[in-house]
Each structure stands twice: as structure tokens, then as C-alpha cells.
Amino acid sequence: MVHIWNDPTEVPEDFGPCVVTIGNFDGVHRGHQQVLAQLLRTAGQHGNRSVVVTFDPHPAQVHQPDSAPELIMGLQDKLDALAAAGLDAVLVMKYNLALAGMTPEEFVGTVLLDGLHAAHVVVGHDLRFGVGNSGDVGTMQALGKKLGFGVQVINEFGAEDFPVHDDGGTPRRCSSTWVREALAEGDVETAAVILGRPHRMRGEVVHGAARGRALGFPTANLDHSATGYVPADGIYAGWLVDESGTRWPAAISVGSNPTFDGVSRQVEAHVIDRPEEAVEDFNLYGQTVVVEFTARLRGMVAYRGPEALVDQMGLDVIQAHDLLLNK
């Protein structure tokens, strides 16, 4: 069981000593996973607990709300991904101006030492912390020597047994920025390689315009408050995971349907191979589901009327079926 805390005061007094790492961990991609693997190794070597300190909301949403990047994943999916790494605990610090105003010394003293009883800290080489990002790896190392905790610095790359290259064949550091770039182009395959798993969105299924149902392809429409980076407009093959944990193969549409005027941008998934005897009872409305993106089938196209669209949707479903189920 992974402990989840929202403030250092929630950490039990007898929890620790700990090995701690700090970061936003948006995407929990392969670079992050390398940091987490070292965290777990160090904790195992010293018989300590393993803890991640992360932040919600993302600091950029507080300091630069108009230009903050779209997050790759929501908090729940981040916590799930961190838990899957095998950690003992996650401390989710509420990021606000008070926290942002802490000096590096105050942050280390209040959060890492008083709260978590940190014996070791594992950080990436580009660590920044404290007011105005004034603290870096050198600052953490100096504080470690002064206050009595160890500091390990590792390169967040993941290239030793996992070479990742950009389109030019040049090795590139795994990063949240690269994941966002891939998703913005609809390249969910590259995003999955960097993430180490398919990209996903999570949201409540709500009623839409019911055009899909009228055309013979009913869809589960995600509410506009769904979390996770919305990939480029297009048709994708992927999976829908319902609240019971059942994974359904799906053809997923992202965007405003250009065949019909006045439709706002949305994410909707048509479940493939629903049990025919239960089609009428297959009701996902009100459920919070996960939609995973496996491959992009095509871009969004305006067709000359519903008939041509229905023909294309039939082909999309066949292609998605073959890709997902006939491997």
C-alpha cells in the first residue's frame, strides 16, 4: 500500500528514515522512472522508506497561468504511475505562493528533514527548488553536507538499455516536453515509447449530441473536464477501461467533427466488439473511464455527407480491430 499525504504534518512520526526525490513528475516518463529506480535501490540498500515529493497544481499554473503547459496526466494518473513503481509513499505538496516563497534551506528543513526524516535525497541533474528556483544540485549537496543527509545526482535519460532518438537519429533526453510535442502531432506511438506505456486520458462519460449512435457507432464522450493531454485531432485505435477495470478495444475520435457544423472539440470512444446480447445495456454514462491511445489511424477529414462518413467510420473500426486484436 502506498501512503498518500498532502502536507508534511500528516507524515507519522515513526515513518522513516526516508530516501526522497523531488519533482513535478508530469507523465512519469522513462527519465522519471530512472530516478525512481535509483530511489528504490538506495532505499533498499539502507533499509529506508522510499518517498516522492511532488506538487499540485503544477508550479507553472501558479506562476504563469496563461502560458502553463497542458499537463500530460491528471493527479490521479500520476499517483497511479508512481504507485506502480513500488514506492512507499507520495507527499503531494499544495503548490502556492507561500510554498514558492520558501528558501532552499527552509524547504529542506521543513519538508525533507522535519517532515520526512530524509537520510538520502535522489535528484536529477537539472533540479531547481526554493524561492525563484534559487536552489540547484550544488545547493542540495551543500545542505546535505551541512545537515547530514546524502545526495545522489543522476542523469534523467534512460539511454543505457533504452536508446531514444529524435527524428534525426540523435539521442534525446526523455522529457515531459518531448511527450507533449509528440502528442501535439498525434504521434501517440512515440509518446508511448518515451512514457513506457500508452498515453491516457481520464474523465466522466457524458451525453453528447448522439450523432454517433444515430449513425450506428455510439460513443462514450469524455467530459470537457477530463484530465490528460488531448492529442492532435484525428482517429485513433486504443482502449477504454471502465470503472470495473474491464478493457474494451475502441476506435477513438479527437476533435470537432468537420462533417457537421457547430460541434465543439471533444474526445469520444466507440467500443468495438461489445457483446451483442448486451448492447442495449452497455451504458457507461456517469462512469469515470480511462481512454488509452495506441495508434493514430488518420487525421480528421470533412466528408460529403453522413453516408461517406459512415463508410469511413466502418473502415476505421475494422482497422482499429485488426491493430488491437489481431496482433
Side-chain angles (χ1 to χ4, degrees):
M1 173 184 171
V2 178
H3 300 277
I4 306 296
W5 303 306
N6 295 298
D7 189 271
T9 60
E10 297 177 9
V11 182
E13 281 294 328
D14 60 352
F15 190 92
C18 298
V19 180
V20 183
T21 191
I22 310 161
N24 293 311
F25 290 96
D26 187 27
V28 194
H29 54 65
R30 295 249 190 185
H32 295 143
Q33 290 164 33
Q34 186 164 312
V35 174
L36 298 175
Q38 183 59 55
L39 176 78
L40 292 168
R41 283 194 293 269
T42 303
Q45 290 166 359
H46 295 278
N48 296 159
R49 302 291 189 95
S50 55
V51 182
V52 163
V53 176
T54 191
F55 307 97
D56 184 63
H58 191 289
Q61 294 176 321
V62 174
H63 296 295
Q64 302 166 315
D66 294 333
S67 58
E70 184 178 350
L71 297 184
I72 297 166
M73 55 173 39
L75 179 59
Q76 184 59 58
D77 285 303
K78 178 162 71 170
L79 293 175
D80 288 349
L82 291 172
L87 304 171
D88 290 308
V90 180
L91 172 58
V92 183
M93 297 288 291
K94 180 175 177 58
Y95 194 87
N96 51 33
L97 295 180
L99 180 61
M102 280 187 173
T103 66
E105 293 81 0
E106 289 171 335
F107 179 84
V108 167
T110 301
V111 179
L112 301 189
L113 298 182
D114 294 346
L116 295 171
H117 314 294
H120 301 270
V121 178
V122 177
V123 295
H125 69 282
D126 58 353
L127 170 73
R128 306 294 297 191
F129 70 106
V131 59
N133 281 333
S134 56
D136 58 13
V137 166
T139 309
M140 187 66 77
Q141 290 171 326
L143 289 170
K145 289 180 180 179
K146 177 182 177 181
L147 300 173
F149 60 89
V151 178
Q152 289 181 291
V153 183
I154 67 171
N155 182 13
E156 299 176 48
F157 193 74
E160 291 126 8
D161 57 357
F162 173 69
V164 183
H165 301 85
D166 61 19
D167 291 340
T170 304
R172 181 174 178 180
R173 174 179 173 270
C174 291
S175 68
S176 302
T177 297
W178 193 5
V179 175
R180 293 187 192 101
E181 289 174 2
L183 294 175
E185 296 173 357
D187 187 358
V188 294
E189 293 94 336
T190 293
V193 170
I194 305 166
L195 290 167
R197 63 185 178 280
H199 173 61
R200 55 168 45 188
M201 294 185 65
R202 180 187 298 268
E204 182 182 349
V205 177
V206 297
H207 290 275
R211 285 198 176 93
R213 183 174 298 277
L215 297 173
F217 296 92
T219 59
N221 298 268
L222 295 190
D223 185 74
H224 289 295
S225 63
T227 58
Y229 194 106
V230 182
D233 289 3
I235 306 300
Y236 297 83
W239 300 85
L240 183 148
V241 185
D242 64 24
E243 286 186 345
S244 72
T246 303
R247 291 170 56 83
W248 300 92
I252 306 161
S253 172
V254 177
S256 55
N257 192 325
T259 304
F260 302 97
D261 293 331
V263 179
S264 60
R265 193 165 189 259
Q266 57 193 19
V267 177
E268 48 189 322
H270 169 70
V271 170
I272 300 169
D273 287 350
R274 294 174 301 163
E276 289 299 325
E277 68 277 6
V279 167
E280 293 303 319
D281 298 325
F282 192 82
N283 184 354
L284 297 173
Y285 291 121
Q287 285 196 35
T288 296
V289 302
V290 168
V291 173
E292 295 182 352
F293 298 84
T294 300
R296 191 171 191 242
L297 304 181
R298 63 176 175 87
M300 195 64 74
V301 178
Y303 291 92
R304 293 176 178 270
E307 295 79 8
L309 176 60
V310 168
D311 291 342
Q312 182 59 59
M313 291 169 72
L315 295 175
D316 294 337
V317 168
I318 292 172
Q319 187 178 358
H321 180 281
D322 290 345
L323 191 151
L324 297 168
L325 300 175
N326 292 340
K327 290 185 178 181

